Amino acid sequence: MKTDYKKTYKKLKRRVKNYLLENASIVDEVWLLQKELSAARSERLSLIERLMFYEGLEKAAIGQHQYLHESRDHTSKNVTQNQTVMTEKTIQNKFPDIPTLRDKTFPLKLNNILVHSIGEIIPANLNFHTSHWIYPVGYVATRIYAHPRDPRKKCVFTCKILNNAGVPQFQLIPDNDLDGVLFGETANKCHQELLNCIQGSTNESLKVELKPKGEVFFGLSNPKVKSLIMSDVKIKQCTKFKGYILPNDTEMLENNDPTLSFAELQSYLRQ
């Protein structure tokens, strides 16, 4: 039987054309879905930040009797158990530019960070405090540091503390890079992930390995943040917590440390 090659060719040509049109429509559909997904991710991040912000304010308002533990001996840096309750007026006299939790004047601009929510202390879960640190759930702050993929560029990081099934989850979210979110069960692990990315992305060999300072990077060592946390009545229920050991003046530390300061990191990379 003689094959009609011309007819077969036309049929194949028609099929190829249909496949091309179908493929083009699929590409367009995928592009639209990716665009919608990107918009949904941005909206989700915005909603999460707003939710955590408002939840932090509402939960912070629970502490109606506010006080700040302070040692009568001004040379002592540890918090003692027999300290007296301080009123909001006393707190304001000592730190006039610190809003009390009841004031709800967030975001709070500090030295190198912007605090959006102070969060809530979870005293019943021992994972959320140590002998020298308190990790409030819902804590949100932003700060400027080097971009993990390009250390020469500045990047705004959102620092968060979440409750992941009873275990703290520290997050560092680079601005406009939802796929580059850094996680860690401790502040140091999360900060180390960022430093590893920076060390891996630079072409220059670093003389000394950068050591993480997670709590400082998240802003938990800031004296005003510590004062706000200490003013929560739940602090007495944190059985492991013995008091902060870092000095209140961390500004010099942050400004001269390449793991915390963008400007100092640039000088460090040029060495």
Side-chain angles (χ1 to χ4, degrees), residues 67-82:
Y67 59 89
L68 178 66
H69 287 292
E70 182 185 62
S71 173
R72 292 182 180 274
D73 181 5
H74 296 289
T75 61
S76 175
K77 297 178 182 178
N78 291 334
V79 178
T80 60
Q81 295 296 326
N82 57 352

Side-chain angles (χ1 to χ4, degrees), residues 34 45 57 74 90 147 154 181 228 257 267:
Q34 288 179 337
L45 178 60
L57 295 181
H74 296 289
T90 307
H147 197 284
K154 287 184 177 181
V181 180
L228 283 172
D257 194 319
S267 300

Side-chain angles (χ1 to χ4, degrees), residues 13 51 72 99 124 131 137 146 171 181 187 203 206 247 250 252 255 257:
K13 189 176 181 180
L51 175 63
R72 292 182 180 274
S131 57
V137 176
Q171 289 188 2
V181 180
N203 295 325
L206 303 181
T250 57
M252 184 176 296
N255 292 335
D257 194 319

Side-chain angles (χ1 to χ4, degrees), residues 9-266:
Y9 170 74
K10 288 183 179 179
K11 187 184 294 185
L12 289 174
K13 189 176 181 180
R14 245 189 340 264
R15 287 185 179 179
V16 169
K17 186 176 181 180
N18 290 336
Y19 285 143
L20 287 174
L21 292 175
E22 184 179 356
N23 182 66
S25 64
I26 292 175
V27 169
D28 290 341
E29 186 69 21
V30 170
W31 181 81
L32 289 174
L33 290 175
Q34 288 179 337
K35 187 176 180 180
E36 291 178 2
L37 180 60
S38 177
R41 284 179 175 175
S42 300
E43 185 179 0
R44 173 178 169 273
L45 178 60
S46 175
L47 290 174
I48 288 175
E49 290 180 350
R50 288 176 60 187
L51 175 63
M52 293 182 66
F53 174 71
Y54 287 112
E55 279 189 348
L57 295 181
E58 291 300 324
K59 292 174 181 177
I62 296 175
Q64 296 181 356
H65 301 288
Q66 319 223 347
Y67 59 89
L68 178 66
H69 287 292
E70 182 185 62
S71 173
R72 292 182 180 274
D73 181 5
H74 296 289
T75 61
S76 175
K77 297 178 182 178
N78 291 334
V79 178
T80 60
Q81 295 296 326
N82 57 352
Q83 292 168 337
T84 58
V85 175
M86 297 183 67
T87 61
E88 290 182 0
K89 182 177 180 181
T90 307
I91 296 175
Q92 289 299 95
N93 289 337
K94 185 172 181 60
F95 302 103
D97 52 345
I98 301 178
T100 60
L101 295 179
R102 189 182 298 173
D103 290 337
K104 299 185 180 181
T105 54
F106 290 93
L108 176 62
K109 180 68 176 73
L110 302 180
N111 177 35
N112 293 319
I113 62 171
L114 184 66
V115 179
H116 301 272
S117 172
I118 201 64
E120 179 190 14
I121 297 176
I122 310 294
N125 191 329
L126 301 182
N127 293 323
F128 288 92
H129 67 276
T130 66
S131 57
H132 300 300
W133 292 107
I134 299 290
Y135 305 123
V137 176
Y139 174 86
V140 182
T142 52
R143 69 177 299 145
I144 296 176
Y145 192 58
H147 197 284
R149 298 180 184 177
D150 186 356
R152 299 296 182 182
K153 294 182 179 180
K154 287 184 177 181
C155 177
V156 177
F157 286 89
T158 300
C159 311
K160 295 182 180 181
I161 303 177
L162 306 177
N163 185 350
N164 183 19
V167 177
Q169 184 181 86
F170 294 82
Q171 289 188 2
L172 287 176
I173 306 174
D175 188 30
N176 297 326
D177 189 2
L178 294 178
D179 295 328
V181 180
L182 303 170
F183 301 90
E185 291 185 0
T186 68
N188 276 345
K189 286 182 179 179
C190 192
H191 191 207
Q192 185 65 67
E193 286 292 324
L194 172 59
L195 298 178
N196 290 343
C197 291
I198 290 175
Q199 290 177 324
S201 61
T202 180
N203 295 325
E204 305 166 14
S205 59
L206 303 181
K207 297 180 180 179
V208 182
E209 183 181 0
L210 299 176
K211 300 294 184 181
K213 298 177 181 65
E215 285 82 4
V216 182
F217 192 88
F218 272 73
L220 297 172
S221 66
N222 187 285
K224 298 177 183 180
V225 172
K226 292 191 292 186
S227 298
L228 283 172
I229 292 175
M230 293 296 293
S231 68
D232 194 325
V233 295
K234 294 181 181 179
I235 195 73
K236 292 183 69 175
Q237 302 173 28
C238 297
T239 55
K240 289 198 305 185
F241 182 71
K242 304 302 179 184
Y244 291 102
I245 58 173
L246 286 179
N248 282 339
D249 187 13
T250 57
E251 182 175 352
M252 184 176 296
L253 171 65
E254 294 199 35
N255 292 335
N256 296 304
D257 194 319
T259 66
L260 303 169
S261 168
F262 175 80
E264 192 64 25
L265 177 65
Q266 304 311 304

